[in-house]
Amino acid sequence: MNKLRMLFLATFYSTALFAQHKENAANVFEIKNPDYKISPYTGMTKQHWRDAALYLLEGAFSYIHTLDDPMKFPKQEGKSYPGNESQVPTEKLEGLCRTLFIASPLLKENPSLVINNIKVADYYRYQITKLIDPASKSYIKPRAKNGGPSQNLVEFGALALSLITNSDVLWKPLPQTQKDELAKTMLSYGDGPTVDSNWKFFNIFILSFFKEQGYDVNEKLLVEYLEKSLKHYRGNGWYNDSPAYDYYSMWAFQMYGNIWSEFFGKKYYPEIASKFGSNFSDLKANYPYLFSKDGEMIMWGRSISYRTGAVVPFPLTGFQNDSNTNYGWMRRISSGVIKQFFTHPDFMKDNVPTLGFYGEFEPAVQNYSCRGSVYWMGKIFLGLLVPDNNSFWTAKENNGDWDTTFKKDEVYNKFQGDSQILITDYPNIGASEVRAWCHEKVKDDWQKFRSTENYNRLSYNSAFPWQADGEKGEVAMNYVIKNKNNQWEAFRLFTFKKFENGIYYRNVILETDENIKFSLTDIPLPNGILRVDKNNSDKPVSMRMGHYALPKLDKEIVTTKKNVAGHEVTIIDNGKYQLAMIPLLGWDKTEVVNAKGVHPESNESSVINVSSDSNSNKSAVYATLMLWKKSGENWKDKELVPIKTIDQTGNSVTIQFNNGTKKIIEFN
């Protein structure tokens, strides 16, 4: 009887798992009839981009059965909004305006598009008019006379962007009375205060669209916001988003400036458009290096659930028709990022993309997001506005410098100047890495994201998405310090010093105790990172420091320990990658820490941590090798310990490598 029961249960659970797998497989985007002649790496052409856009839009329209149904989706548990009924109209507005980024380029090519038996153009025009109907549950009140900037400004700015790029379908068919009411409501937000960040573009698009349509607008304010937006520029394609640098500070500013210039600015404000164009040109020599050889983006910064939005500048390079642009590489990266997410089984849930990176991941979610916020990623499909015969679509895919310049067993650093960002590329595993700004106190971080793991890791790597910190001191790619409250506290108050001779220098202090302070240096190596850090604290410090973390995939993570040249080597292997950590100086203990619920790719994960309880009798310098390889590749001893000697004299540390090279670190 028990055997029969066990057989039944085994059959039941295996059938359930198969059904779940089958359901996930059915929800994954499929590249039909790939063209490997023009796109040898991804198989994706412009038609496949249209297919990807339709894939997203069909999921959204699975909730639309009549013209009255709002773009409102199942709430994901956690900090995302709405938290009360008063936020629902804005939630609906987000769903409407953000899915329109996907729908509008498709409607421009096919105004008769039908999804789920709904005429898509009719639906959006109808829903847009509901925004000005006081009897509608989707009604948005005009901004109060003394009202400040709000999420409504963001979404109306997004709506204006779609209107300015596709007025024939979305605007012209509307009755004049409704146009006037929309102008009144939208301009109440556009002709008003904003946030000193990329938000100025929301005002800019509202004011620009209605000027184009012949309405009286506050042109003085429009020019003021344009000029202030240009002042955020820091060179090499990077804008500063007051105060952060992240994907969004690059792609949002650059995309907005390019679209505004192409569809409005060149006609009305050619000098300003020219400045945006010059800044846009700078990104082509820098931004592509932030993506892996396979065209994958790094998990880094806020709003990472916007995912594919990060690559929208690349198709927009097509508007410049620059013969010096490697359009095959631009498309290879862009299509690679689309594949990175759209073909991942955890990407969609309930026919809607999750809030997270691949699947749901609460540590990466911001409280200003609702489920419909994810459709900000649809801005990638503004690339469909680039004509079919443009070089962006017709050039043959290639891997750019990964194939033509980068060499095996080398490492390539690209310092970004005034933004103080360091981009590093590792040909041996085809990964990209970034180090950038983080200096936000938890007590001042009212939105609770700039002080978190979204920004406070020592570095971010395309092969190893960041792991959230655990309450027991589990940490990946950062230090945690035992603070006065006997809690593990991560470093977050970093101050960049310089990048010199392949060494990235920063100082850091602990937020809750300014007497705990370190000087940090990162030295990228062909197979990883050498960290040489100096503890400048005037008291004993209990601390831990972690490597990148590995998710548990389809088999157990294997740990190997060995001794090489007198140094303890710890290696973990998850079947895809191996990570090795070798403490060279200062550390007391190395351990593999297993965790649950803190990694974006798997519920279970492992990370190698080193730890120490410092005292005045110990060396203040902590040297650590943090290395990696693909799974299945053998480690040579000279790869695990590539260093011959480390000598410390005062504030100077000299590192002699086995290959004859030398690095001198000066702690000032």
Side-chain angles (χ1 to χ4, degrees), residues 72 75 80-91:
K72 187 178 185 303
K75 185 182 185 302
S80 63
Y81 89 90
N84 55 66
E85 282 300 311
S86 68
Q87 295 175 311
V88 172
T90 302
E91 176 195 15

Side-chain angles (χ1 to χ4, degrees), residues 54 103-114 120-121 166 169:
L54 197 59
S104 181
L106 294 175
L107 290 171
K108 194 166 180 117
E109 294 184 344
N110 178 17
S112 301
L113 180 66
V114 175
V120 175
N166 192 8
V169 174

Side-chain angles (χ1 to χ4, degrees), residues 459-519:
S459 56
Y460 295 85
N461 191 293
S462 62
F464 313 109
W466 61 257
Q467 174 173 291
D469 294 338
E471 293 182 358
K472 297 179 181 179
E474 309 97 317
V475 62
M477 200 44 68
N478 199 0
Y479 280 85
V480 288
I481 308 294
K482 189 65 73 72
N483 64 21
K484 296 174 183 176
N485 296 323
N486 205 36
Q487 296 173 327
W488 291 106
E489 179 182 336
F491 277 150
R492 59 180 63 91
L493 301 182
F494 298 93
T495 302
F496 172 79
K497 303 303 291 183
K498 62 181 177 179
F499 177 66
E500 186 176 270
N501 191 30
I503 306 170
Y504 191 77
Y505 290 82
R506 286 173 287 188
N507 289 345
V508 65
I509 62 172
L510 193 69
E511 177 180 346
T512 61
D513 188 345
E514 63 183 16
N515 291 317
I516 295 178
K517 48 193 175 181
F518 283 57
S519 297

Side-chain angles (χ1 to χ4, degrees), residues 149 153-154 157 189-208 221-233 239-242 248 253 256 260 276:
L153 167 62
V154 176
Y189 290 91
D191 185 7
T194 192
V195 177
D196 186 24
S197 67
N198 68 87
W199 276 45
K200 289 186 282 292
F201 277 106
F202 305 133
N203 305 73
I204 288 166
F205 275 104
I206 294 170
L207 293 168
S208 298
L221 186 66
L222 172 57
V223 172
E224 177 187 330
Y225 283 163
L226 286 164
E227 291 177 342
K228 284 184 175 179
S229 295
L230 284 168
K231 288 180 180 178
H232 286 266
Y233 191 61
Y239 287 80
N240 180 264
D241 204 21
S242 300
Y248 203 57
F253 277 91
Y256 291 138
W260 177 85
F276 279 122

